[in-house]
Amino acid sequence: VQLQASGGGLVQAGGSLRLSCAAPGFTLDYYAIGWFRQAPGKEREGVLCISSSGAGRYYADSVKGRFTISRDNAKNTVYLQMNSLKPEDTAVYCCAAGTECVAAIPILYDYWGQGTQVTVSS
C-alpha cells in the first residue's frame, strides 16, 4: 500500500498551501491519517492527525491556529490546509495511515507515502 502526498511547492511567508493524501486502490475510510514533516537535519515531526471518524488531533503546537486537517471519504483523500506559512514550516511532508491518532510515533503507523516538498521563503 502506497499513500501519495501531493500539493507541495514554493510559497512566500504568510501564504497558504493545501496538501492532499490519497491512496489509489486502497480505502482510507477506516484509518487514522497522520501528517508528518521532516526538515533538513532534523528529526521527523508529527504535525496533525485525523481519526477515521473525522476528529483532528494536533501533534505540533507550532501549527495550531494555522493548519487544519480534514478528510473526504467520497474522494478517499485527506487534506492538510496550511495557512500563514512560516519559513520554519519548510520540510518534506508525508502522510501515513494507522489505527488511531494515539501519538506522533512513526512506528504506530502502518502505511506511508512518499513526501511532498514544502518550501516557504521569507
Side-chain angles (χ1 to χ4, degrees), residues 45-70:
E45 174 188 33
V47 180
L48 264 167
C49 181
I50 188 166
S51 69
S52 59
S53 63
R57 176 174 178 171
Y58 284 95
Y59 287 148
D61 290 339
S62 61
V63 306
K64 287 181 179 179
R66 301 188 298 122
F67 292 12
T68 57
I69 191 169
S70 62

Side-chain angles (χ1 to χ4, degrees), residues 2-122:
Q2 187 78 13
L3 278 64
Q4 296 179 354
S6 61
L10 173 63
V11 64
Q12 289 188 333
S16 298
L17 283 174
R18 188 178 77 161
L19 305 185
S20 298
C21 176
F26 181 73
T27 301
L28 296 177
D29 292 14
Y30 306 111
Y31 287 88
I33 304 298
W35 282 97
F36 292 78
R37 65 185 181 184
Q38 188 165 19
K42 294 187 178 181
E43 292 187 358
R44 185 181 298 176
E45 174 188 33
V47 180
L48 264 167
C49 181
I50 188 166
S51 69
S52 59
S53 63
R57 176 174 178 171
Y58 284 95
Y59 287 148
D61 290 339
S62 61
V63 306
K64 287 181 179 179
R66 301 188 298 122
F67 292 12
T68 57
I69 191 169
S70 62
R71 66 191 306 155
D72 185 339
N73 288 342
K75 295 183 178 180
N76 200 39
T77 302
V78 172
Y79 302 101
L80 181 66
Q81 179 67 44
M82 306 186 296
N83 299 327
S84 302
L85 282 161
K86 303 176 180 180
E88 51 264 43
D89 294 319
T90 295
V92 174
Y93 286 72
C94 60
C95 56
T99 304
E100 300 177 52
C101 295
V102 175
I105 301 174
I107 60 171
L108 296 179
Y109 291 80
D110 301 312
Y111 306 108
W112 290 80
Q114 90 294 349
T116 184
Q117 176 70 47
V118 171
T119 302
V120 184
S121 63
S122 57

